[in-house]
Amino acid sequence: MGVGAILSFWSNMGKLPLLMFFKDSRNVLKRDELGSEIVNIAVPATLALLADPIASLIDTAFIGRIGAVELASVGVSVAIFNQISRITMFPLVSITTSFVAEEEATSKPTTEAEQDANPERESDVNQELVPLTGNGNVKKSQPDGNSKKHVPSASSALVIGSMLGILQTLFLIFAAKPLLGYMGVNSESPMLNIAQQYLTLRSLGAPAILLSLAAQGVFRGLKDTKTPLYAIIIGDSMNVILDPILMFVLRLGVKGAGIAHVVSQYLIFLILLWRLAGKIELCPPNFKELQFSRFLKSGFQLLIKIWLATSLLADGLAVAGQAILASSFAKKDYEKIVATASRVLQIGVLLGFLLSCTLAALSQFAAQLFTNDRDVMQLMNLSFPFIAVTQPINTLAFVFDGVNYGASDFAYSAYSMVLVAVVSIFCLFILSSSSGYIGIWIALTIFMNLRVFAGLLRVGTGTGPWSFLRN
């Protein structure tokens, strides 16, 4: 092989899409313009995502002091509520973030020539020129100088969120007992009444949760993750304050915890709606601008995705990657696409190892915070090593989701997840029957590894929206 052939070989190797993951790896923590943009979006998003689990943990700590039956009852109710909620809320938030970011990126100012050709658009001679979005929608300037953005996807998300929230409430109220029975809480169990009451109460907050998440998706698309953070902190603080008052002072017990949670969710939604009303036009001029077909098409592709949330810190990083990538894809800024994808994935690896070390250090003390029951503590102690060790893989799985959603690659995400789910469920049945509780965690570890492989395969081979990497 001649020198020319060797140089040609290494030149082609350097163009492999897979090598994108190592691009500028020495600058992974550099506070340049891209790094600052990621941090400004990811950190508030991460804190917002952590606020609700922390409030839920405080709920759990209060409930655990009432008794083991109450703790188990609430645990199974929350598991049902969360799994039903994920079917609706995850596609809604992810799709809204991408659509709003794309609409923002493709907006362009109206020129004087366009204004002269369309004089009817100017209702006031003193009104400033209005920006025109890439799809022909107008951003209107208000007489007081405050500009409200015209984002049809935001209105669509709120309408769909309200409908899904009401449907979820009705479903959980009428199906609470059968669902609990499916989870092993039969009619003779002392857990049944407590679990059914708590699940019914929590279901009343579903509309507020779905609407809040739709609003958060809009704010994320606008690259504003601070507003949702403030709203969630206020709402969850109210939850923590109401917990001891309702549970112990008013002696409502577990029902008090459910009421506190529902009140906090509606408070979060009202704050977000108030802030959103000052930024965008919530009511579009006509029904056609509500992009229901676009939402439903992408939503259906994501509804079949199985979601396992084990590291919400990675979600914040994924949100930053998704928002920046959706904007960059809309502008066809391929250089920024590569730089953003490689940076968030590299940060994800570092974050995963940091989480592993932190969880390993806390594993001996965590169980004691929530219960004194020895059996429960034993199961928690068995689980923590798996949770800690798999964090780098879990983090990459979440970040790859954000990367692919930023490319609006929803169909691949859905179809690949179906295949991953089939393989993982097969492993779950085999391993759980042979190794019991440990087998379940091994199967979940296989599931997360397959998710990472699916994300790596799409981007690393330069297919779909990533085909530009092969040029």
Side-chain angles (χ1 to χ4, degrees), residues 58-78:
I58 295 173
D59 273 352
T60 304
F62 282 127
I63 294 168
R65 301 307 167 188
I66 298 176
V69 174
E70 286 78 7
L71 181 62
S73 302
V74 171
V76 71
S77 298
V78 171

Side-chain angles (χ1 to χ4, degrees), residues 440-461:
I440 294 174
W441 278 105
I442 296 174
L444 291 176
T445 302
I446 293 173
F447 171 62
M448 299 305 290
N449 276 274
L450 290 176
R451 285 184 58 188
V452 172
F453 177 76
L456 181 66
L457 185 67
R458 185 63 155 180
V459 183
T461 56

